[in-house]
Amino acid sequence: MKIPKAALSLRDPGAATSVLFESLGETERQPKLDMTVYSGKIISDHWWWDNLALDLSGVVFDTDKFPILGEHSVDRRIAFSNGKPIVNGSIRFDPDKIVFLDTEYAESFLKDAAKGFPYQASAGTRPLSVERVNPGASVEVNGMALKGPGTVFRKWLFKEGSICVFGADRKSKTSTFNEDEMAALDCEITGDHGFFNGSQIKTGTKGVDKMDLKELKEKHADLVEALRNEVKIEVSAVVDGLRADIAAFKEENTTLSADNKDLAKQVVSLEAAGKARDLKDAESKAESIFAEKITSSKVPEKMHARVQRGVAFNDFFKDGAFDAAAFAAAVDAEIKDWETDLGDVASVQGLGASGRGVDCGNEEKAENDLVDSMLNIAGQFS
């Protein structure tokens, strides 16, 4: 049959562990472990076996060395016994034959034990012959009477000893192994086999009768109807709860949608404001570049506005970015053209004209005067 692995780790409240530290000198101390893994007494009300006792006359040791673990875990190796345990009304390791390992669990255990932490002990077993004791019946084991319901391991294999924080109790089954973790057990069973149903022990003298749904409806129609009504009520409550949750979710989703729309408007507004700010900053920078260059040029101040119209700002502001370097180069080129034109006109015989712009109050008059002057000059050479 299969049983939980945890049912093979037997924690006896009477089992104890203590550490003595023998002095080897002024600074060194030798730890010695005094460990009784089974007291020989009855373990009352075990979560799987009911009242339980291990027959000391039936213990089997199949090796001369035995591991000493922490909580029956092979990953928590603490020490080992270099000899068989002593069987004398109990099962106890010989302190002189225990060798501690250099592991973190061994160091942690010795450190806690030195401060007086009350560790207990447990035995890892493998039953070979099991006697079941019915309720009301009793059997003798280790000089005591075990009353049913209960179990006696008449013959069993000793596997290891473990140092534990707590002894046997109903909760101890989950402290070592998962209670669903099973182990195959091949042993002789005497007594009432009905206690075993493949997963746990049932107290009583008979096994559990199984009944399919059809038979249940035929024999217990009223019970089936009561169960059906109870399930309907529970399902209805669950459905109502789900509907309420869905309604709340829809309401929350509507609120979130409205919030998202407001947020989108705010984002668009912020983007527009950002673009306007970028344009304004670019225009200011362009004006600064032009002012700096035109001021240091030879172009008369009254002609500055006309020179500025020769360089279109929009040609240098694309996709929200202003090409300041290209704009500055264009301004330089435009100013150079004006300065060249002004120099050419001023060199003509005694004329006081000013090239692409004439220093007069009216731009149109200045242009006409420039044309007339050029025509007169042309007539002199005709």
Side-chain angles (χ1 to χ4, degrees):
M1 64 179 180
K2 290 187 176 181
I3 68 170
K5 286 185 177 180
L8 302 177
S9 302
L10 304 177
R11 301 189 178 191
D12 180 356
T17 295
S18 62
V19 179
L20 302 176
F21 291 89
E22 294 185 354
S23 177
L24 297 179
E26 294 184 0
T27 58
E28 292 187 63
R29 294 193 303 168
Q30 174 70 40
K32 281 196 172 186
L33 178 64
D34 189 358
M35 182 176 179
T36 299
V37 294
Y38 176 53
S39 66
K41 298 180 180 179
I42 296 170
I43 302 174
S44 300
D45 201 20
H46 188 276
W47 63 274
W48 175 271
W49 303 105
D50 294 324
N51 294 331
L52 172 66
L54 283 61
D55 194 333
L56 294 175
S57 64
V59 61
V60 176
F61 301 111
D62 61 349
T63 182
D64 291 329
K65 290 186 177 182
F66 295 90
I68 297 176
L69 310 174
E71 302 288 346
H72 297 283
S73 173
V74 294
D75 294 328
R76 299 181 180 182
R77 297 181 292 276
I78 295 176
F80 67 92
S81 174
N82 212 2
K84 298 177 182 179
I86 301 170
V87 181
N88 185 13
S90 64
I91 296 181
R92 172 177 171 265
F93 281 110
D94 187 344
D96 293 328
K97 294 183 179 181
I98 291 180
V99 179
F100 282 99
L101 302 176
D102 294 327
T103 65
E104 59 177 313
Y105 297 104
E107 292 176 3
S108 176
F109 164 70
L110 289 173
K111 183 178 179 181
D112 293 344
K115 293 182 179 181
F117 189 87
Y119 280 105
Q120 294 183 331
S122 176
T125 66
R126 190 78 176 182
L128 303 174
S129 176
V130 173
E131 179 181 358
R132 284 295 297 165
V133 184
N134 292 337
S138 66
V139 296
E140 184 176 345
V141 56
N142 300 334
M144 296 171 291
L146 182 146
K147 296 181 179 179
T151 308
V152 178
F153 289 3
R154 289 300 183 186
K155 187 176 182 181
W156 55 285
L157 186 66
F158 182 86
K159 300 291 292 183
E160 47 87 11
S162 275
I163 296 169
C164 305
V165 175
F166 297 107
D169 55 48
R170 285 192 174 271
K171 295 180 181 179
S172 68
K173 63 180 178 180
T174 60
S175 63
T176 303
F177 302 101
N178 183 300
E179 59 183 285
D180 295 327
E181 190 175 356
M182 307 299 285
L185 183 63
D186 183 13
C187 68
E188 177 188 2
I189 301 175
T190 59
D192 188 356
H193 290 222
F195 282 94
F196 298 94
N197 69 354
S199 62
Q200 64 181 9
I201 290 179
K202 295 291 184 180
T203 55
T205 57
K206 294 183 178 180
V208 178
D209 293 331
K210 294 183 179 181
M211 186 181 301
D212 59 23
L213 182 59
K214 180 179 179 181
E215 186 179 358
L216 182 64
K217 289 180 178 180
E218 293 175 352
K219 294 184 177 180
H220 304 283
D222 54 342
L223 176 60
V224 172
E225 185 63 24
L227 288 173
R228 181 182 290 113
N229 292 334
E230 186 173 345
V231 169
K232 285 182 179 179
I233 294 173
E234 292 182 358
V235 170
S236 177
V238 172
V239 171
D240 291 342
L242 290 174
R243 286 174 178 169
D245 291 342
I246 292 172
F249 175 76
K250 287 182 177 179
E251 182 178 354
E252 182 180 359
N253 188 48
T254 301
T255 302
L256 289 174
S257 297
D259 292 342
N260 287 337
K261 290 180 180 179
D262 292 339
L263 182 60
K265 291 180 180 178
Q266 294 178 22
V267 170
V268 171
S269 177
L270 290 172
E271 288 178 348
K275 290 179 179 179
R277 184 172 59 252
D278 292 343
L279 177 60
K280 186 175 181 180
D281 291 344
E283 289 176 341
S284 297
K285 189 170 183 179
E287 290 176 0
S288 177
I289 293 172
F290 180 80
E292 180 182 354
K293 291 183 177 294
I294 198 68
T295 301
S296 61
S297 73
K298 298 177 182 180
V299 179
E301 183 176 353
K302 290 184 177 182
M303 310 304 293
H304 288 184
R306 296 186 66 186
V307 177
Q308 188 174 16
R309 287 199 295 271
V311 184
F313 166 78
N314 290 338
D315 292 342
F316 302 92
F317 187 79
K318 304 268 186 198
D319 299 326
F322 174 55
D323 191 346
F327 178 79
V331 171
D332 287 338
E334 184 70 11
I335 290 175
K336 184 177 180 181
D337 288 345
W338 278 85
E339 288 178 337
T340 301
D341 290 345
L342 288 170
D344 291 342
V345 172
S347 66
V348 178
Q349 297 176 358
L351 292 178
S354 54
R356 296 179 72 171
V358 180
D359 189 6
C360 62
N362 189 291
E363 291 183 1
E364 184 177 356
K365 182 176 180 300
E367 290 176 355
N368 292 333
D369 289 345
L370 178 60
V371 171
D372 291 341
S373 298
M374 297 296 289
L375 290 174
N376 288 332
I377 295 170
Q380 294 177 11
F381 289 97
S382 61

